[in-house]
Amino acid sequence: MKMNDLTKDDINLLIVSYLTNSIDCFDLERLTFWIQSHEDNLRYFNLMKDAWLLTPSRISVSSLNIEQTWNVFKEKLESDKKTGNRSIGKNLRYILIAASWLLFFMIGAWLSNYFRGKKVIAPSNPVTITVPMGSRSNMALPDGSDVWINAGTSITYNQDYGKKDRIIHLEGEAYFDVAKDEEHPFIVKTSGINVQALGTKFNVKAYPDEKTISATLEEGKINVSIGDKTGKIKTVLLTSKEKLIFFKATEKSEVYTESEEETILYKGVKSNPVINAKILTDVQTELYTSWKDTRWIIEGQPLGILAPVLERRYNLKFVFYNEELKKYKFSGTIEKETVEQILNAMRLTAPLDYRISKDTVKLLFDKNIKDKYGKIMTRTN
Amino acid sequence: MNHEIEKYWQKIRDGDEKALGLVFKMSYAPLCQYSLHFTHDTFLSQEAVQDTFLKIWQNRNELTIRGSFRAYLFQSVHNHALNALRQQKTNRQSVNQPCSEEIWQFITSHYKVDDDLVEMIFSNETEQLIQKTIKELPEKCLRIFQMSRYESRSNSDIARELDVSENTVKTHIYRALRKITEILKKEN
């Protein structure tokens, strides 16, 4: 390669290109050869580099959010310590180990009863089904009712399910298609509300880390029981296409309104709003139930609400580097898209940038767009 | 960031997470500032600092630090920042040929940070000297240098806004840098 015909000006331009991060590989190679060819060249390059390093823009310390960054970072250290990485294989292994222990105890219980000469009674241990983050499941309950279980959810029922009534304990989100059986009421219990149904299709969302619990009725009728502020139980009847949102916290104001356009009615308790809930009528139920289908429909959802849903669906952690981003709303249909594809689609309508490392998605304000706005924004420098 | 951090290294080696936290909180801002010098990107610069701390924590048992812990932090942040930059470059240059391994090795190994430079970066005196020098630059040169260095604008961006060629932008940056190297020469 011919390198010696580089003029002093060429070299200076190459160095500046390098320092301003605008050099291409070909030029980088030329520059490297030049630096290597003589000790003085290296010295000159280093001097320019030092000058460059001494004149940066200043980071504003408050924007770094050090305390919060450390907390997120600490979690990373801890999860690193625990498992390294959580693969499906590992989960499966845990389930298998748990199952073998369960079998062991059941045989043990059976044997001990047997040797005592007593009749073997069916164990009354509750049955719990847990669906981990990043997956969904569909199963049939003993009475033939169908249940779709969303990510990060567990449902529990007792062995006597269906004898007198059909009680399901839910933590997380599930959609129920209840088999008709008027003699055995079907009840979904959550930490805040209970939903009683006859034969209907409805969705209940009750994640412990969310501020609301909601029940969305696709068809039929359900009774929702809520404890009011005085401790009494109030019952609200929902008819099809209605959605009840129960606020766990007492202050409603800090909860995102899911859709301002929808009519808000306080049914039955209109003049006596002691129940911390609101009821939406004529809702587009598929917005709340389509998570279970191949086409998941999102409409006008702010990223702040969407992020926890995506976290569970993809088993990722979202970290907002910019709070402003939570307010941007998105609509769309998700089929088999990867999280990257979704985020890239979002970037078309919002100044969003992201970085994925391992199981964390960092969301930040798009720098290029920020730069464009930069001209009209006041600077602190 | 002061010399207090030296005594925390031993505690970190012993697995003291609190000590790590203290050093993290104490040095996060200066280290980010430092890595910003290479990366031009506040996000990448933070990532480099976090990677550094993660690596230190993970390898604390095998790690031997010669010299000061402080200098070690700067040097590792430096390496991580260059790596991040390199990854970003290779990602973005999917059309062009990626840079060869040897070139990067060379750049990384010759892009040394010494304690003196770190000292200068955080010295108010140097900062004042630089500010004084920059103010004496011809108007156009000053404007371009400020846009490049203080507003983190790309060469092409500056060229577009001021309606000049990219080479003109680079030439002005070079002139400004040469002025600053004069201070460095005097200092040494």
Side-chain angles (χ1 to χ4, degrees):
Chain A
M1 235 182 281
K2 276 164 87 185
M3 288 295 147
N4 302 329
D5 48 2
L6 283 171
T7 65
K8 191 96 184 146
D9 282 348
D10 291 338
I11 293 302
N12 289 329
L13 287 180
L14 283 181
I15 292 176
V16 172
S17 302
Y18 174 75
L19 295 174
T20 53
N21 210 3
S22 62
I23 196 162
D24 63 28
C25 284
F26 176 69
D27 279 346
L28 187 60
E29 212 153 310
R30 289 167 72 197
L31 176 65
T32 327
F33 274 101
W34 177 82
I35 297 170
Q36 277 173 315
S37 64
H38 201 281
E39 225 173 89
D40 285 344
N41 294 355
L42 177 62
R43 206 168 298 132
Y44 181 76
F45 171 77
N46 275 334
L47 198 62
M48 293 290 278
K49 173 210 75 182
D50 286 355
W52 176 257
L53 289 184
L54 283 170
T55 54
S57 44
R58 296 278 167 209
I59 275 186
S60 100
V61 177
S62 59
S63 75
L64 290 175
N65 232 329
I66 296 174
E67 206 62 42
Q68 197 201 338
T69 311
W70 166 250
N71 287 335
V72 173
F73 184 75
K74 207 166 66 184
E75 265 175 44
K76 203 156 88 181
L77 290 183
E78 264 147 32
S79 68
D80 225 66
K81 202 158 47 186
K82 266 183 228 145
T83 44
N85 59 359
R86 286 155 285 147
S87 61
I88 296 166
K90 265 191 185 152
N91 279 336
L92 186 66
R93 203 155 61 228
Y94 288 135
I95 292 168
L96 287 178
I97 291 168
S100 64
W101 274 102
L102 191 66
L103 192 67
F104 179 79
F105 281 124
M106 278 164 71
I107 292 171
W110 183 78
L111 283 177
S112 66
N113 280 324
Y114 182 83
F115 286 115
R116 266 184 242 150
K118 284 179 188 164
K119 208 170 77 188
V120 180
I121 34 165
S124 58
N125 295 1
V127 178
T128 299
I129 297 118
T130 302
V131 176
M133 295 288 183
S135 50
R136 280 164 291 154
S137 177
N138 172 218
M139 59 170 282
L141 293 167
D143 65 322
S145 295
D146 263 334
V147 54
W148 283 260
I149 309 169
N150 208 345
T153 298
S154 55
I155 67 167
T156 306
Y157 57 86
N158 279 322
Q159 290 283 337
D160 59 3
Y161 175 91
K163 287 233 172 70
K164 198 162 97 253
D165 44 25
R166 300 173 281 175
I167 296 177
I168 301 275
H169 292 266
L170 169 74
E171 199 176 280
E173 181 168 27
Y175 175 90
F176 301 92
D177 185 351
V178 181
K180 237 190 177 98
D181 181 356
E182 281 167 29
E183 284 166 28
H184 301 100
F186 186 95
I187 300 164
V188 178
K189 293 190 169 178
T190 72
S191 63
I193 61 171
N194 293 340
V195 181
Q196 187 186 342
L198 298 165
T200 55
K201 292 174 181 171
F202 63 99
N203 189 78
V204 180
K205 190 177 175 198
Y207 282 104
D209 54 347
E210 288 188 358
K211 288 172 185 157
T212 61
I213 296 176
S214 62
T216 308
L217 183 58
E218 199 166 294
E219 58 177 65
K221 281 189 175 111
I222 52 175
N223 269 323
V224 182
S225 329
I226 312 168
D228 71 10
K229 281 170 185 165
T230 61
K232 283 184 203 141
I233 305 285
K234 299 260 173 189
T235 303
V236 182
L237 180 73
L238 290 196
T239 54
S240 63
K241 310 277 178 217
E242 287 187 331
K243 176 180 180 174
L244 180 138
I245 303 167
F246 168 73
F247 299 90
K248 287 193 225 170
T250 36
E251 60 273 37
K252 268 177 236 167
S253 53
E254 59 170 294
V255 184
Y256 286 99
T257 43
E258 299 220 357
S259 177
E260 287 113 20
E261 302 90 70
E262 284 167 333
T263 335
I264 297 164
L265 293 169
Y266 289 92
K267 283 180 95 190
V269 283
K270 222 175 189 172
S271 56
N272 182 18
V274 283
I275 292 177
N276 242 340
K278 67 178 180 184
I279 295 159
L280 314 176
T281 55
D282 265 333
V283 298
Q284 210 185 325
T285 52
E286 57 263 42
L287 297 182
Y288 310 108
T289 62
S290 62
W291 57 263
K292 67 181 174 29
D293 306 323
T294 40
R295 283 169 61 88
W296 175 36
I297 305 159
I298 298 168
E299 204 176 280
Q301 289 275 41
L303 195 51
I305 286 184
L306 216 46
V309 181
L310 291 171
E311 278 182 346
R312 289 191 286 262
R313 197 177 174 98
Y314 293 97
N315 193 17
L316 291 163
K317 183 108 190 93
F318 281 75
V319 181
F320 283 87
Y321 275 64
N322 186 312
E323 291 293 309
E324 194 67 17
L325 287 171
K326 287 187 177 172
K327 293 180 192 157
Y328 284 89
K329 290 185 178 180
F330 296 96
S331 302
T333 307
I334 295 172
E335 287 180 40
K336 282 177 185 156
E337 280 81 359
T338 62
V339 75
E340 286 94 340
Q341 286 170 319
I342 295 171
L343 289 164
N344 285 336
M346 287 178 168
R347 292 188 63 174
L348 299 175
T349 56
L352 174 84
D353 200 359
Y354 68 90
R355 313 284 155 95
I356 301 181
S357 54
K358 270 194 201 156
D359 46 9
T360 306
V361 181
K362 297 172 180 176
L363 299 172
L364 42 147
F365 221 75
D366 189 293
K367 194 172 171 297
N368 295 326
I369 293 182
K370 203 171 69 189
D371 283 353
K372 272 181 217 157
Y373 292 143
K375 290 173 199 166
I376 47 168
M377 269 156 41
T378 46
R379 282 191 201 84
T380 44
N381 295 316
Chain B
M1 185 161 135
N2 48 40
H3 294 276
E4 216 182 302
I5 67 164
E6 297 306 322
K7 66 178 183 216
Y8 291 114
W9 167 231
Q10 196 50 52
K11 289 189 178 169
I12 292 170
R13 282 199 81 164
D14 297 340
D16 185 343
E17 207 180 274
K18 269 193 193 134
L20 186 78
L22 283 171
V23 175
F24 187 96
K25 287 173 197 169
M26 207 185 294
S27 58
Y28 193 70
L31 289 172
C32 286
Q33 175 71 57
Y34 179 70
S35 70
L36 185 68
H37 297 226
F38 312 96
T39 58
H40 252 202
D41 178 325
T42 43
F43 181 81
L44 278 182
S45 69
Q46 290 193 54
E47 187 127 277
V49 176
Q50 293 189 23
D51 284 349
T52 298
F53 276 99
L54 192 65
K55 278 275 137 52
I56 288 179
W57 183 250
Q58 284 169 340
N59 303 327
R60 60 182 186 276
N61 294 321
E62 293 85 43
L63 205 64
T64 345
I65 294 176
R66 292 187 193 85
S68 73
F69 184 34
R70 186 160 168 271
Y72 178 83
L73 280 174
F74 277 99
Q75 185 64 56
S76 338
V77 164
H78 180 196
N79 294 342
H80 281 291
L82 282 182
N83 274 339
L85 204 60
R86 168 188 183 173
Q87 252 168 21
Q88 196 192 34
K89 272 202 166 131
T90 28
N91 286 345
R92 291 206 180 145
Q93 284 181 342
S94 49
V95 187
N96 300 337
Q97 227 180 320
C99 300
S100 71
E101 190 64 27
E102 300 93 86
I103 298 276
W104 273 106
Q105 290 275 325
F106 173 79
I107 291 285
T108 317
S109 63
H110 282 268
Y111 216 152
K112 278 268 179 280
V113 192
D114 45 35
D115 261 3
D116 290 348
L117 184 67
V118 174
E119 214 63 65
M120 280 173 89
I121 283 178
F122 295 102
S123 131
N124 286 331
E125 239 171 276
T126 318
E127 173 74 14
Q128 278 165 11
L129 269 174
I130 288 171
Q131 290 306 326
K132 192 172 155 261
T133 313
I134 289 172
K135 288 216 179 77
E136 286 163 6
L137 292 170
E139 199 191 316
K140 195 165 190 185
C141 186
L142 171 70
R143 179 79 199 107
I144 288 174
F145 191 68
Q146 280 177 332
M147 286 170 87
S148 173
R149 214 57 191 110
Y150 294 86
E151 296 164 26
S152 292
R153 307 269 291 271
S154 69
N155 294 344
S156 53
D157 199 16
I158 301 169
R160 217 176 302 122
E161 181 164 324
L162 301 182
D163 201 20
V164 293
S165 76
E166 276 189 50
N167 272 353
T168 308
V169 173
K170 288 180 195 170
T171 308
H172 281 293
I173 293 174
Y174 157 70
R175 282 186 192 144
L177 286 178
R178 201 184 51 193
K179 276 274 171 222
I180 296 163
T181 60
E182 281 165 20
I183 317 174
L184 294 178
K185 278 180 196 156
K186 268 179 229 158
E187 293 248 317
N188 286 337

